[in-house]
Amino acid sequence: MADVTNRPNEQNFRRPGGSVSRYSPALSLALVAPLMLLMSVGFLYPIGSLIKLSLFTPALDLTSYRKIIEQPIYLSVMARTFRIALFVTITSFVLGYPVALAMASLKRRLAAAAAAAVFIALWSPVLVRSYAWIVLLQRNGVANNVMTELGLIEAPLKLIYNEGAVIIAMTHVLLPFMVLPIFAALRSIPQEYVCAARSLGAGASTAFLRVTLPLSLPGVFAGCVMCFILALGFYITPALVGGPRTLIVATLIGQQATVLLDWPFAAALSTVLLITTLIMVLVFRKAFSTSKGFASVD
Protein backbone atom coordinates (compact mmCIF):
# COMPACT_ATOMS: atom_id res chain seq x y z
CA MET A 1 0.00 0.00 0.00
CA ALA A 2 1.42 3.36 -1.00
CA ASP A 3 2.42 5.74 1.71
CA VAL A 4 -0.16 8.54 1.62
CA THR A 5 1.75 10.62 4.13
CA ASN A 6 4.14 11.78 1.34
CA ARG A 7 1.32 13.16 -0.78
CA PRO A 8 0.99 16.97 -0.82
CA ASN A 9 -1.95 18.32 1.06
CA GLU A 10 -4.13 19.89 -1.64
CA GLN A 11 -6.03 21.88 0.94
CA ASN A 12 -2.94 24.04 1.43
CA PHE A 13 -3.02 24.94 -2.27
CA ARG A 14 -6.72 25.62 -2.66
CA ARG A 15 -8.14 29.08 -3.05
CA PRO A 16 -11.43 30.06 -1.41
CA GLY A 17 -13.20 29.53 -4.72
CA GLY A 18 -12.02 25.92 -4.89
CA SER A 19 -9.46 26.19 -7.71
CA VAL A 20 -5.96 24.83 -7.19
CA SER A 21 -3.09 27.30 -7.05
CA ARG A 22 0.54 26.27 -7.27
CA TYR A 23 1.95 29.07 -5.16
CA SER A 24 1.03 30.44 -1.79
CA PRO A 25 0.11 34.14 -1.49
CA ALA A 26 3.44 34.92 0.17
CA LEU A 27 5.42 33.23 -2.61
CA SER A 28 3.27 34.90 -5.30
CA LEU A 29 3.94 38.28 -3.72
CA ALA A 30 7.66 37.55 -3.61
CA LEU A 31 7.63 36.65 -7.31
CA VAL A 32 5.74 39.81 -8.26
CA ALA A 33 7.78 42.10 -5.95
CA PRO A 34 10.69 42.71 -8.43
CA LEU A 35 8.27 43.77 -11.15
CA MET A 36 6.35 46.00 -8.73
CA LEU A 37 9.62 47.57 -7.61
CA LEU A 38 10.68 48.17 -11.21
CA MET A 39 7.32 49.72 -12.05
CA SER A 40 7.47 51.93 -8.96
CA VAL A 41 10.99 53.18 -9.61
CA GLY A 42 10.82 53.39 -13.39
CA PHE A 43 7.24 54.56 -13.92
CA LEU A 44 5.19 55.58 -10.88
CA TYR A 45 7.88 57.68 -9.21
CA PRO A 46 8.74 59.70 -12.36
CA ILE A 47 5.04 60.26 -13.10
CA GLY A 48 4.42 61.37 -9.52
CA SER A 49 7.42 63.71 -9.64
CA LEU A 50 6.17 65.14 -12.93
CA ILE A 51 2.71 65.88 -11.52
CA LYS A 52 4.23 67.35 -8.36
CA LEU A 53 6.50 69.61 -10.41
CA SER A 54 3.53 70.90 -12.39
CA LEU A 55 1.51 71.71 -9.26
CA PHE A 56 4.03 72.74 -6.59
CA THR A 57 6.79 75.27 -7.36
CA PRO A 58 7.29 74.98 -4.35
CA ALA A 59 3.80 75.95 -3.14
CA LEU A 60 0.57 75.03 -4.90
CA ASP A 61 0.55 76.96 -8.17
CA LEU A 62 -1.79 76.41 -11.12
CA THR A 63 -0.17 79.05 -13.32
CA SER A 64 1.10 76.48 -15.82
CA TYR A 65 -2.35 74.95 -16.27
CA ARG A 66 -3.98 78.36 -16.60
CA LYS A 67 -1.38 79.19 -19.23
CA ILE A 68 -2.48 76.18 -21.29
CA ILE A 69 -6.14 77.20 -21.10
CA GLU A 70 -5.76 80.96 -21.51
CA GLN A 71 -3.39 80.98 -24.49
CA PRO A 72 -5.08 79.65 -27.65
CA ILE A 73 -1.81 78.54 -29.24
CA TYR A 74 -1.35 75.74 -26.72
CA LEU A 75 -4.93 74.54 -27.11
CA SER A 76 -4.37 74.59 -30.87
CA VAL A 77 -1.26 72.43 -30.48
CA MET A 78 -3.20 70.00 -28.28
CA ALA A 79 -6.04 69.79 -30.80
CA ARG A 80 -3.59 69.28 -33.67
CA THR A 81 -1.82 66.49 -31.78
CA PHE A 82 -5.01 64.55 -31.10
CA ARG A 83 -6.29 65.17 -34.62
CA ILE A 84 -3.11 63.79 -36.17
CA ALA A 85 -3.08 60.82 -33.77
CA LEU A 86 -6.72 60.03 -34.62
CA PHE A 87 -6.12 60.25 -38.37
CA VAL A 88 -3.01 58.08 -38.09
CA THR A 89 -4.95 55.47 -36.11
CA ILE A 90 -7.83 55.41 -38.62
CA THR A 91 -5.47 55.25 -41.60
CA SER A 92 -3.42 52.48 -39.99
CA PHE A 93 -6.61 50.47 -39.38
CA VAL A 94 -7.92 50.98 -42.93
CA LEU A 95 -4.58 49.91 -44.43
CA GLY A 96 -3.60 47.35 -41.79
CA TYR A 97 -6.75 45.27 -41.47
CA PRO A 98 -6.73 43.99 -45.10
CA VAL A 99 -3.04 43.15 -44.75
CA ALA A 100 -3.66 41.23 -41.52
CA LEU A 101 -6.66 39.48 -43.08
CA ALA A 102 -4.59 38.42 -46.08
CA MET A 103 -1.78 37.20 -43.80
CA ALA A 104 -4.24 35.17 -41.70
CA SER A 105 -5.64 33.45 -44.79
CA LEU A 106 -2.20 32.30 -45.96
CA LYS A 107 -0.61 28.99 -45.13
CA ARG A 108 1.93 28.79 -42.34
CA ARG A 109 5.10 29.36 -44.39
CA LEU A 110 3.62 32.15 -46.49
CA ALA A 111 2.16 33.75 -43.37
CA ALA A 112 5.58 33.63 -41.71
CA ALA A 113 7.14 35.28 -44.78
CA ALA A 114 4.48 38.02 -44.74
CA ALA A 115 5.00 38.55 -41.01
CA ALA A 116 8.75 38.82 -41.63
CA ALA A 117 8.09 41.56 -44.19
CA VAL A 118 6.07 43.46 -41.58
CA PHE A 119 8.84 42.98 -39.02
CA ILE A 120 11.44 44.34 -41.44
CA ALA A 121 9.50 47.60 -41.55
CA LEU A 122 9.26 47.52 -37.76
CA TRP A 123 12.99 46.98 -37.32
CA SER A 124 13.99 49.88 -39.57
CA PRO A 125 15.07 52.95 -37.56
CA VAL A 126 12.44 55.68 -37.33
CA LEU A 127 15.00 58.33 -38.23
CA VAL A 128 15.90 56.55 -41.47
CA ARG A 129 12.27 56.17 -42.48
CA SER A 130 11.55 59.81 -41.70
CA TYR A 131 14.45 60.97 -43.87
CA ALA A 132 13.23 58.63 -46.63
CA TRP A 133 9.89 60.46 -46.65
CA ILE A 134 11.73 63.78 -46.89
CA VAL A 135 13.50 62.48 -50.01
CA LEU A 136 10.18 61.31 -51.47
CA LEU A 137 8.06 64.36 -50.68
CA GLN A 138 10.37 67.37 -51.04
CA ARG A 139 9.94 69.83 -53.92
CA ASN A 140 12.62 68.12 -56.00
CA GLY A 141 11.82 64.70 -54.59
CA VAL A 142 10.75 61.49 -56.24
CA ALA A 143 6.99 62.13 -56.05
CA ASN A 144 7.13 65.59 -57.65
CA ASN A 145 9.59 64.48 -60.32
CA VAL A 146 7.43 61.51 -61.33
CA MET A 147 4.24 63.60 -61.52
CA THR A 148 6.07 66.29 -63.51
CA GLU A 149 7.45 63.79 -66.02
CA LEU A 150 4.01 62.23 -66.44
CA GLY A 151 2.51 65.65 -67.13
CA LEU A 152 0.18 65.54 -64.13
CA ILE A 153 1.51 68.80 -62.69
CA GLU A 154 3.33 71.79 -64.13
CA ALA A 155 5.06 73.00 -60.98
CA PRO A 156 6.21 71.02 -57.92
CA LEU A 157 3.61 70.65 -55.19
CA LYS A 158 4.23 71.34 -51.53
CA LEU A 159 3.99 67.78 -50.24
CA ILE A 160 6.12 68.19 -47.13
CA TYR A 161 6.05 70.30 -43.95
CA ASN A 162 2.31 69.95 -43.47
CA GLU A 163 -0.10 67.73 -41.56
CA GLY A 164 -0.66 65.44 -44.53
CA ALA A 165 3.03 64.56 -44.74
CA VAL A 166 3.13 63.94 -40.99
CA ILE A 167 0.12 61.61 -41.15
CA ILE A 168 1.60 59.66 -44.08
CA ALA A 169 5.01 59.25 -42.46
CA MET A 170 3.62 58.35 -39.03
CA THR A 171 1.21 55.83 -40.58
CA HIS A 172 4.14 54.15 -42.30
CA VAL A 173 6.02 53.92 -39.01
CA LEU A 174 3.08 52.72 -36.90
CA LEU A 175 1.42 50.38 -39.39
CA PRO A 176 3.13 47.21 -38.00
CA PHE A 177 1.70 47.98 -34.56
CA MET A 178 -1.77 47.72 -36.11
CA VAL A 179 -1.14 44.73 -38.37
CA LEU A 180 0.42 42.35 -35.84
CA PRO A 181 -2.30 42.44 -33.12
CA ILE A 182 -5.07 42.09 -35.70
CA PHE A 183 -3.19 39.23 -37.37
CA ALA A 184 -2.86 37.42 -34.02
CA ALA A 185 -6.59 37.88 -33.32
CA LEU A 186 -7.58 36.64 -36.77
CA ARG A 187 -5.36 33.57 -36.51
CA SER A 188 -7.03 32.64 -33.23
CA ILE A 189 -10.53 32.52 -34.79
CA PRO A 190 -11.52 28.90 -35.58
CA GLN A 191 -12.28 28.49 -39.26
CA GLU A 192 -15.24 26.30 -38.32
CA TYR A 193 -17.13 29.44 -37.29
CA VAL A 194 -16.89 30.94 -40.77
CA CYS A 195 -17.68 27.59 -42.39
CA ALA A 196 -20.75 27.21 -40.18
CA ALA A 197 -21.96 30.68 -41.15
CA ARG A 198 -21.44 29.93 -44.85
CA SER A 199 -23.23 26.59 -44.55
CA LEU A 200 -26.22 28.36 -42.99
CA GLY A 201 -26.60 30.57 -46.02
CA ALA A 202 -24.45 33.59 -45.16
CA GLY A 203 -22.47 35.12 -47.97
CA ALA A 204 -18.78 35.97 -47.76
CA SER A 205 -19.42 39.58 -46.75
CA THR A 206 -22.10 38.61 -44.21
CA ALA A 207 -19.84 35.98 -42.64
CA PHE A 208 -17.06 38.53 -42.37
CA LEU A 209 -19.27 41.23 -40.84
CA ARG A 210 -21.12 38.91 -38.46
CA VAL A 211 -18.34 36.49 -37.48
CA THR A 212 -14.78 37.48 -38.41
CA LEU A 213 -14.91 41.21 -37.69
CA PRO A 214 -16.57 40.97 -34.23
CA LEU A 215 -14.21 38.21 -33.10
CA SER A 216 -11.18 40.19 -34.28
CA LEU A 217 -12.08 43.31 -32.28
CA PRO A 218 -9.67 42.48 -29.42
CA GLY A 219 -6.82 42.78 -31.92
CA VAL A 220 -8.34 45.93 -33.39
CA PHE A 221 -8.59 47.42 -29.91
CA ALA A 222 -4.95 46.59 -29.10
CA GLY A 223 -3.72 47.97 -32.42
CA CYS A 224 -5.76 51.17 -32.16
CA VAL A 225 -4.63 51.84 -28.60
CA MET A 226 -0.96 51.27 -29.43
CA CYS A 227 -1.07 53.40 -32.58
CA PHE A 228 -2.98 56.20 -30.87
CA ILE A 229 -0.75 56.36 -27.79
CA LEU A 230 2.47 56.11 -29.80
CA ALA A 231 1.23 58.79 -32.21
CA LEU A 232 0.54 61.16 -29.32
CA GLY A 233 4.14 60.94 -28.17
CA PHE A 234 5.88 60.97 -31.55
CA TYR A 235 8.78 63.41 -31.68
CA ILE A 236 11.26 62.69 -34.49
CA THR A 237 8.92 62.20 -37.46
CA PRO A 238 6.72 65.31 -36.91
CA ALA A 239 9.81 67.42 -36.24
CA LEU A 240 11.50 66.33 -39.49
CA VAL A 241 8.55 65.91 -41.86
CA GLY A 242 6.15 68.45 -40.35
CA GLY A 243 8.53 71.32 -39.74
CA PRO A 244 7.92 74.23 -37.36
CA ARG A 245 4.41 74.89 -38.70
CA THR A 246 3.17 71.45 -37.62
CA LEU A 247 4.01 71.73 -33.94
CA ILE A 248 2.66 68.95 -31.73
CA VAL A 249 2.70 68.41 -27.97
CA ALA A 250 5.83 66.24 -27.86
CA THR A 251 7.84 68.83 -29.76
CA LEU A 252 6.39 71.62 -27.61
CA ILE A 253 7.35 69.78 -24.41
CA GLY A 254 10.87 69.31 -25.73
CA GLN A 255 11.19 73.02 -26.50
CA GLN A 256 9.90 74.05 -23.09
CA ALA A 257 12.21 71.63 -21.25
CA THR A 258 15.45 71.97 -23.25
CA VAL A 259 15.31 75.42 -24.88
CA LEU A 260 13.22 77.65 -22.60
CA LEU A 261 13.98 75.62 -19.44
CA ASP A 262 10.40 76.06 -18.24
CA TRP A 263 10.16 72.71 -16.47
CA PRO A 264 6.87 73.37 -14.60
CA PHE A 265 5.08 74.25 -17.84
CA ALA A 266 6.58 71.21 -19.60
CA ALA A 267 5.42 69.06 -16.69
CA ALA A 268 1.93 70.55 -16.92
CA LEU A 269 1.76 69.80 -20.65
CA SER A 270 2.92 66.24 -19.98
CA THR A 271 0.32 65.79 -17.24
CA VAL A 272 -2.50 67.04 -19.44
CA LEU A 273 -1.35 64.76 -22.24
CA LEU A 274 -1.22 61.80 -19.85
CA ILE A 275 -4.71 62.41 -18.45
CA THR A 276 -6.29 62.91 -21.87
CA THR A 277 -4.54 59.76 -23.12
CA LEU A 278 -6.00 57.71 -20.26
CA ILE A 279 -9.45 59.13 -21.01
CA MET A 280 -9.13 58.22 -24.69
CA VAL A 281 -8.02 54.68 -23.82
CA LEU A 282 -11.12 54.28 -21.62
CA VAL A 283 -13.26 55.58 -24.47
CA PHE A 284 -11.68 53.05 -26.85
CA ARG A 285 -12.24 50.31 -24.30
CA LYS A 286 -15.88 51.25 -23.81
CA ALA A 287 -16.52 51.49 -27.54
CA PHE A 288 -15.06 48.08 -28.34
CA SER A 289 -16.52 46.35 -25.27
CA THR A 290 -19.99 46.53 -26.83
CA SER A 291 -18.96 43.65 -29.09
CA LYS A 292 -19.52 40.08 -27.98
CA GLY A 293 -16.22 39.16 -29.57
CA PHE A 294 -14.40 41.62 -27.35
CA ALA A 295 -16.34 40.60 -24.23
CA SER A 296 -15.44 36.97 -24.79
CA VAL A 297 -11.83 37.63 -23.86
CA ASP A 298 -12.68 39.30 -20.53
Side-chain angles (χ1 to χ4, degrees):
M1 184 176 179
D3 187 7
V4 298
T5 59
N6 294 328
R7 295 180 181 178
N9 187 3
E10 293 186 357
Q11 294 180 353
N12 296 331
F13 296 91
R14 289 188 179 275
R15 296 178 179 175
S19 62
V20 177
S21 176
R22 295 185 178 183
Y23 306 111
S24 64
L27 182 57
S28 300
L29 182 61
L31 293 174
V32 177
L35 178 60
M36 295 175 61
L37 179 62
L38 180 62
M39 287 291 294
S40 300
V41 175
F43 182 75
L44 296 179
Y45 177 74
I47 293 297
S49 301
L50 190 71
I51 297 174
K52 180 181 178 181
L53 179 62
S54 67
L55 292 173
F56 300 95
T57 57
L60 180 61
D61 187 4
L62 300 178
T63 304
S64 297
Y65 292 96
R66 287 198 299 267
K67 185 178 179 181
I68 297 175
I69 299 174
E70 293 173 356
Q71 298 192 18
I73 184 173
Y74 300 122
L75 293 178
S76 175
V77 171
M78 284 282 183
R80 182 187 299 118
T81 302
F82 280 90
R83 182 173 61 249
I84 290 176
L86 182 61
F87 282 145
V88 168
T89 303
I90 295 174
T91 308
S92 298
F93 170 72
V94 172
L95 296 177
Y97 197 99
V99 174
L101 187 63
M103 290 171 56
S105 63
L106 297 175
K107 295 182 179 180
R108 180 169 299 180
R109 292 184 178 180
L110 293 177
V118 175
F119 275 114
I120 290 175
L122 184 63
W123 293 334
S124 302
V126 176
L127 185 62
V128 174
R129 282 182 280 179
S130 300
Y131 272 115
W133 280 108
I134 294 176
V135 173
L136 289 172
L137 299 177
Q138 61 184 346
R139 292 184 63 86
N140 294 324
V142 176
N144 275 316
N145 290 337
V146 170
M147 289 188 292
T148 302
E149 292 178 359
L150 293 177
L152 300 177
I153 57 175
E154 297 180 358
L157 301 177
K158 186 179 180 181
L159 302 177
I160 201 171
Y161 303 133
N162 51 49
E163 287 190 20
V166 174
I167 292 173
I168 293 173
M170 290 177 61
T171 301
H172 173 237
V173 174
L174 296 178
L175 191 59
F177 293 96
M178 181 67 73
V179 172
L180 295 177
I182 297 177
F183 168 69
L186 290 172
R187 292 287 287 186
S188 65
I189 300 175
Q191 292 299 318
E192 291 80 4
Y193 292 175
V194 179
C195 294
R198 297 296 300 273
S199 65
L200 293 174
S205 58
T206 303
F208 170 76
L209 294 175
R210 300 293 296 274
V211 179
T212 304
L213 181 60
L215 293 178
S216 65
L217 286 184
V220 174
F221 169 76
C224 289
V225 169
M226 284 194 294
C227 286
F228 187 78
I229 293 177
L230 291 174
L232 287 178
F234 247 53
Y235 183 85
I236 296 177
T237 302
L240 293 177
V241 181
R245 294 185 178 181
T246 314
L247 186 66
I248 63 172
V249 175
T251 309
L252 179 61
I253 293 173
Q255 291 179 356
Q256 296 294 325
T258 60
V259 179
L260 301 178
L261 301 179
D262 192 351
W263 282 88
F265 185 59
L269 289 170
S270 303
T271 303
V272 172
L273 183 62
L274 174 63
I275 293 174
T276 50
T277 301
L278 293 177
I279 293 174
M280 294 301 296
V281 170
L282 293 177
V283 170
F284 272 119
R285 181 67 172 83
K286 186 65 176 179
F288 283 101
S289 64
T290 57
S291 168
K292 293 181 180 179
F294 189 87
S296 64
V297 300
D298 290 345

